[in-house]
Amino acid sequence: MTDPIIKFDKVVKRFGDLTVLDELDFEVKRGEKVSIIGPSGSGKSTVLRILMTLEGIQDGMVTVDGEPLWHQQGTNGLEPASEAHLRKMRGRLGMVFQQFNLFPHMTVLRNITEAPVKVLGMSKKDARVRAEELLERVGLADQASKYPHQLSGGQQQRVGIARALAMRPDILLFDEPTSALDPELVGEVLTVIGQLAEEHDLTMLLVTHEMRFAREVSDRVCFFDQGRIREQGAPEDLFTAPTEERTREFLKAVLN
Amino acid sequence: MTWTDYIPPLLEGAWVTVQLTLYSTVLGAVLAFVFGIGKLSPNWAFKAVSVAYIELFRGTSLLVQLFWLYFALPMAGMAMGIDLRLPPVLAGVLALGLNIGAYGAEVVRGAIAAVHQDQHEAARALNFSPRQTLWTIVIPQAIPEMMPSFGNLAVQNLKDTALVSLISLGDLTFRAEQIRNFTQDSTTIYSMLLVMYFAMALVVTVIMRGLERYASRWRTARS
Amino acid sequence: MLFGFEWDLSSPLAFAISIMPILLTGMLVTIQAAVLGFAVALVLGLVWAVLKSAPIRLIAWPATVITEFIRDTPLLVQLFFLYYVLPEYGIILPAFMTGALALGIQYSAYTAEVYRAGLQAVPADQHEAARALNLSTARTFTHIVVPQAIPRIVPAMGNYLVSIMKDVPVLSVVTVLEMLNVAKIVGDRTFDYLIPLSLVGGLYLIMTLVASAGVRLLDDWLPKQGIPLK
Ligand SMILES: Nc1ncnc2c1ncn2[C@@H]1O[C@H](COP(=O)(O)OP(=O)(O)O)[C@@H](O)[C@H]1O
Ligand SMILES: [Mg+2]
């Protein structure tokens, strides 16, 4: 299967008069780790949010795993996707949020088991075993019975990652997962994401301002500017020899 | 008769007041959730019914509602050929519950709407259905926000039960009126009556605080 | 016949139309009682608020207990108390006055809170700024605190006026001829409660909608940053 697992084809996204994505073309291969960098407001989050079906699109086509995301086959060709279709497609994706978005009224363990039990119909026991495995993996085995507010930001974000993984997504989306963290807590979260990047099945899309990290973990880096991909390529090329002036300016600004 | 002789009949009435408060508060809470959720529903019919209910019962007076259910409804029933005569207890519980439910619905609506959009997005990303999102993610977080207002409404409801004495239901106020008619000892009786309502209100407040603490225990868990 | 108006029982519609003047006469009494009760609540509530925030515990404490007591006991019982107990001490008021007084007392417990919340919501740095400008405590209060508190207080008070309006029917138990009582009397005499009571419900809806709209307009009109008193 060499088909891309994610494909944006001339995708247009507008908020009122503001065009955020302007005929965006964008592809990601299965198992590929792609970092998205770019100035604030350039549409990076919007790309992830469209994939997670948190935002609709106005024109063009998004395909996930060969199936249209925001459309479905109707009797007269493609129609806007129904909620049932979106639900089916959503199962393939998981998302890690900038503000963690944990459920504050549930323990760490329930944060992770709730969706597998309620949505996937997993037994409570299996979900628990799986959650404990995941907590082990993100280094929080001893925090299962705490509530989110009892954890540090870095710990909360690692729970956020475990929660997303519990749904066994093919594609994992990270929207600036370390931006809300105190500097000393960034490392522990990046370590966990770095370990995930070594799994070759998992496709990862990572919006980040951590340039060094992006360079280490990604197969490809895309520089977003004003709703388009201004430049993309292997990290060594893009970071050491950007061809576009805008990329150079941006990198100069963030690397200092 | 001395004031101690008033106690047994007053306690009998107080028991009726307690029951009325309990039933109508439970009815009101159910209505509050149904129509508070309804007012936020994407289903326009459900939403319209909810808005109409809330406006109707908040926009008119409780005593008007009580009299309407007790005196006017049977006549509406007669016109339609149905027997809609309600026993005073039922009319009382219905009027109190419908009234407090309308105020409660606004509380429920407000608390649900105040749950942060982030929580809806996290739920959607985990593929919870809208219904699951509402009941497992949103409402448990909204309940602690509702509790202080619910506490006030429960006390309000306790006070409002006094009105059912006007459709000759033997509650605390009704019993006090009977004794006063008999003994003309207004000062003693009404002082006792006020103190008894105050004591019951304190109990209701304590119970509601306990429920509030229970519903928000996740907020106060310590590391 | 009531208030000199005859009812016409020839058809439901004729009946409804014929009793409208009677109900409107009652409505006038309802509005009068509400406004008078509201005035009492505004004044008495301010007294409570001042006493409750007194620096002397011996004053603040009783005021707090009294307002709590007023707030936690039924209007109907307070009304009975005033109506039957005051005359025993030689204070004889007309029923309407007793009723308005009961409304005012009940709601003074609520308006006291509004005053307190409104005054406390003025940020502390405003007090500090006033001190830096060397304004006296009294001048700070009248020129800085009160003007900023007014826009917070007025809409909340407006909502209580609407609530008081809805509580006026309780006064019917002491023979005040407000709207519900009038409708009930019409019902007692014609054996038709449905039309008078439904009309009262409709008129109440109109009254509260109009009053609430008025409160909203007032709220929009009041400048949020405060009103200069001069
Ligand atoms: N819900 C929304 N309503 C209106 N404008 C929005 C909304 N979400 C995002 N935008 C706008 O879209 C643009 C791109 O946003 P975003 O994708 O969040 O940028 P980035 O993540 O690159 O900082 C910004 O100008 C932002 O203000
Ligand atoms: Mg963003």
Side-chain angles (χ1 to χ4, degrees):
Chain A
M1 288 234 288
T2 50
D3 280 349
I5 190 166
I6 298 172
K7 189 161 188 276
F8 278 58
D9 188 7
K10 294 208 169 18
V11 170
V12 175
K13 171 69 192 173
R14 282 185 289 263
F15 289 110
D17 291 339
L18 178 73
T19 302
V20 177
L21 300 183
D22 186 9
E23 305 207 340
L24 175 72
D25 290 319
F26 177 52
E27 288 187 5
V28 179
K29 290 203 286 285
R30 188 175 298 278
E32 198 179 11
K33 324 293 180 217
V34 177
S35 289
I36 297 177
I37 61 171
S40 173
S42 56
K44 308 183 296 296
S45 297
T46 303
V47 167
L48 299 196
R49 291 168 59 77
I50 287 171
L51 281 167
M52 197 65 254
T53 69
L54 301 176
E55 298 283 0
I57 59 177
Q58 272 72 50
D59 203 358
M61 173 94 104
V62 179
T63 319
V64 170
D65 217 357
E67 274 191 75
L69 179 64
W70 281 101
H71 300 85
Q72 67 188 56
Q73 276 310 329
T75 38
N76 313 312
L78 285 182
E79 294 170 349
S82 65
E83 184 53 34
H85 176 79
L86 290 177
R87 254 199 121 182
K88 183 186 86 185
M89 298 300 289
R90 231 182 262 140
R92 302 174 188 180
L93 296 123
M95 185 153 179
V96 175
F97 296 89
Q98 184 173 354
Q99 302 292 341
F100 331 134
N101 298 12
L102 297 183
F103 304 128
H105 60 299
M106 294 182 184
T107 61
V108 165
L109 191 78
R110 273 239 6 239
N111 259 279
I112 301 172
T113 57
E114 193 70 6
V117 171
K118 290 253 164 76
V119 177
L120 303 179
M122 206 185 263
S123 79
K124 282 204 171 123
K125 193 162 143 279
D126 292 351
R128 194 190 168 97
V129 170
R130 166 102 176 120
E132 279 163 356
E133 244 170 61
L134 287 166
L135 281 173
E136 186 82 42
R137 226 162 114 186
V138 299
L140 293 172
D142 50 346
Q143 309 288 337
S145 58
K146 297 248 172 95
Y147 284 98
H149 73 92
Q150 296 172 298
L151 304 181
S152 73
Q155 291 173 320
Q156 289 189 48
Q157 190 57 296
R158 286 185 278 153
V159 175
I161 294 170
R163 183 177 71 173
L165 287 171
M167 297 296 281
R168 299 189 188 278
D170 302 325
I171 303 165
L172 198 47
L173 311 168
F174 295 87
D175 192 1
E176 302 195 28
T178 59
S179 295
L181 298 177
D182 293 336
E184 74 273 15
L185 301 177
V186 169
E188 62 191 59
V189 173
L190 292 185
T191 307
V192 169
I193 300 174
Q195 283 162 4
L196 278 180
E198 280 159 24
E199 287 188 20
H200 39 259
D201 285 353
L202 187 66
T203 306
M204 276 174 41
L205 217 54
L206 173 73
V207 174
T208 186
H209 290 303
E210 300 286 338
M211 295 302 152
R212 245 189 19 185
F213 182 71
R215 190 166 174 172
E216 279 169 29
V217 301
S218 20
D219 304 314
R220 176 158 57 105
V221 177
C222 298
F223 172 61
F224 263 67
D225 189 33
Q226 295 177 342
R228 288 168 173 259
I229 298 178
R230 187 57 74 106
E231 184 170 0
Q232 57 179 321
E236 304 81 63
D237 301 338
L238 191 118
F239 283 118
T240 50
T243 53
E244 295 272 332
E245 183 56 33
R246 281 288 292 166
T247 319
R248 272 197 291 277
E249 277 170 25
F250 174 76
L251 287 174
K252 211 169 106 195
V254 295
L255 290 176
N256 288 331
Chain B
M1 263 180 120
T2 59
W3 70 274
T4 44
D5 297 325
Y6 306 153
I7 292 180
L10 286 183
L11 283 181
E12 248 175 69
W15 176 233
V16 174
T17 295
V18 167
Q19 288 175 314
L20 275 173
T21 307
L22 186 66
Y23 299 151
S24 58
T25 302
V26 169
L27 173 62
V30 171
L31 293 171
F33 272 93
V34 170
F35 293 108
I37 290 167
K39 195 168 170 182
L40 294 167
S41 168
N43 178 328
W44 70 264
F46 189 16
K47 185 175 171 149
V49 169
S50 304
V51 170
Y53 162 72
I54 293 170
E55 292 301 318
L56 182 65
F57 283 90
R58 280 165 45 109
T60 55
S61 165
L62 171 59
L63 197 53
V64 175
Q65 292 156 22
L66 182 65
F67 278 14
W68 199 91
L69 283 177
Y70 192 64
F71 296 110
L73 185 66
M75 300 203 157
M78 217 150 61
M80 292 182 290
I82 329 167
D83 185 5
L84 289 177
R85 283 172 302 177
L86 305 178
V89 186
L90 189 53
V93 169
L94 267 182
L96 290 165
L98 284 164
N99 184 264
I100 213 76
Y103 288 90
E106 277 299 307
V107 173
V108 169
R109 184 202 58 77
I112 288 178
V115 171
H116 206 283
Q117 186 57 27
D118 283 357
Q119 292 290 313
H120 291 268
E121 293 190 347
R124 196 164 152 90
L126 290 166
N127 230 344
F128 286 107
S129 68
R131 181 172 302 214
Q132 288 170 332
T133 303
L134 182 68
W135 288 103
T136 63
I137 311 297
V138 176
I139 287 182
Q141 292 184 56
I143 284 178
E145 294 297 326
M146 302 172 194
M147 288 314 290
S149 302
F150 273 3
N152 292 338
L153 288 178
V155 171
Q156 182 67 48
N157 203 25
L158 165 68
K159 296 196 307 180
D160 285 344
T161 57
L163 295 180
V164 300
S165 64
L166 304 180
I167 55 169
S168 36
L169 219 158
D171 76 323
L172 182 54
T173 304
F174 187 81
R175 288 308 174 102
E177 271 296 282
Q178 281 182 323
I179 302 171
R180 190 198 59 81
N181 275 328
F182 188 64
T183 66
Q184 298 299 320
D185 184 5
S186 310
T187 312
T188 313
I189 289 166
Y190 287 127
S191 302
M192 288 174 75
L193 191 55
L194 286 170
V195 168
M196 286 177 79
Y197 272 109
F198 186 54
M200 287 198 277
L202 290 184
V203 172
V204 169
T205 305
V206 168
I207 293 173
M208 294 309 284
R209 291 260 165 83
L211 285 178
E212 179 177 352
R213 251 199 307 281
Y214 177 75
S216 47
R217 63 201 180 287
W218 52 271
R219 283 179 168 182
T220 47
R222 307 198 160 254
S223 355
Chain C
M1 189 176 86
L2 195 64
F3 305 136
F5 297 104
E6 291 285 350
W7 39 77
D8 173 358
L9 287 165
S10 57
S11 76
L13 183 65
F15 180 50
I17 293 171
S18 67
I19 61 173
M20 270 315 260
I22 302 174
L23 295 180
L24 290 176
T25 312
M27 187 200 252
L28 191 63
V29 175
T30 299
I31 293 171
Q32 285 168 339
V35 169
L36 189 58
F38 185 56
V40 173
L42 285 182
V43 175
L44 192 55
L46 187 59
V47 173
W48 296 132
V50 170
L51 293 180
K52 277 165 83 169
S53 58
I56 308 162
R57 275 261 194 95
L58 216 61
I59 296 174
W61 240 87
T64 308
V65 172
I66 291 169
T67 49
E68 197 58 41
F69 190 88
I70 294 173
R71 186 213 294 273
D72 283 352
T73 46
L75 170 65
L76 177 64
V77 180
Q78 292 171 6
L79 177 63
F80 278 146
F81 189 93
L82 294 178
Y83 190 71
Y84 291 108
V85 174
L86 285 186
E88 293 193 357
Y89 296 87
I91 306 169
I92 297 166
L93 295 174
F96 176 84
M97 288 295 164
T98 313
L101 188 62
L103 285 170
I105 289 174
Q106 166 91 177
Y107 277 88
S108 70
Y110 296 95
T111 56
E113 267 317 293
V114 175
Y115 285 120
R116 246 164 50 108
L119 294 175
Q120 276 174 359
V122 175
D125 60 358
Q126 293 283 316
H127 292 268
E128 280 160 27
R131 199 167 314 132
L133 289 170
N134 225 348
L135 290 179
S136 71
T137 312
R139 278 180 72 86
T140 304
F141 192 74
T142 55
H143 286 65
I144 309 291
V145 177
V146 170
Q148 292 191 55
I150 286 175
R152 295 173 220 275
I153 290 175
V154 169
M157 292 300 185
N159 290 330
Y160 280 128
L161 175 59
V162 179
S163 297
I164 291 178
M165 231 151 63
K166 289 183 274 185
D167 272 344
V168 171
V170 175
L171 309 197
S172 62
V173 299
V174 293
T175 70
V176 173
L177 289 173
E178 50 68 53
M179 191 161 53
L180 180 64
N181 201 5
V182 166
K184 181 81 180 355
I185 293 171
V186 173
D188 290 342
R189 295 197 192 160
T190 60
F191 304 107
D192 183 351
Y193 290 103
L194 184 58
I195 289 172
L197 289 179
S198 301
L199 283 175
V200 169
L203 289 172
Y204 251 106
L205 267 183
I206 294 171
M207 274 202 306
T208 53
L209 284 178
V210 168
S212 303
V215 172
R216 252 197 312 282
L217 279 180
L218 194 62
D219 189 19
D220 291 345
W221 172 80
L222 282 171
K224 284 290 154 295
Q225 65 280 16
I227 301 178
L229 285 185
K230 276 193 263 177

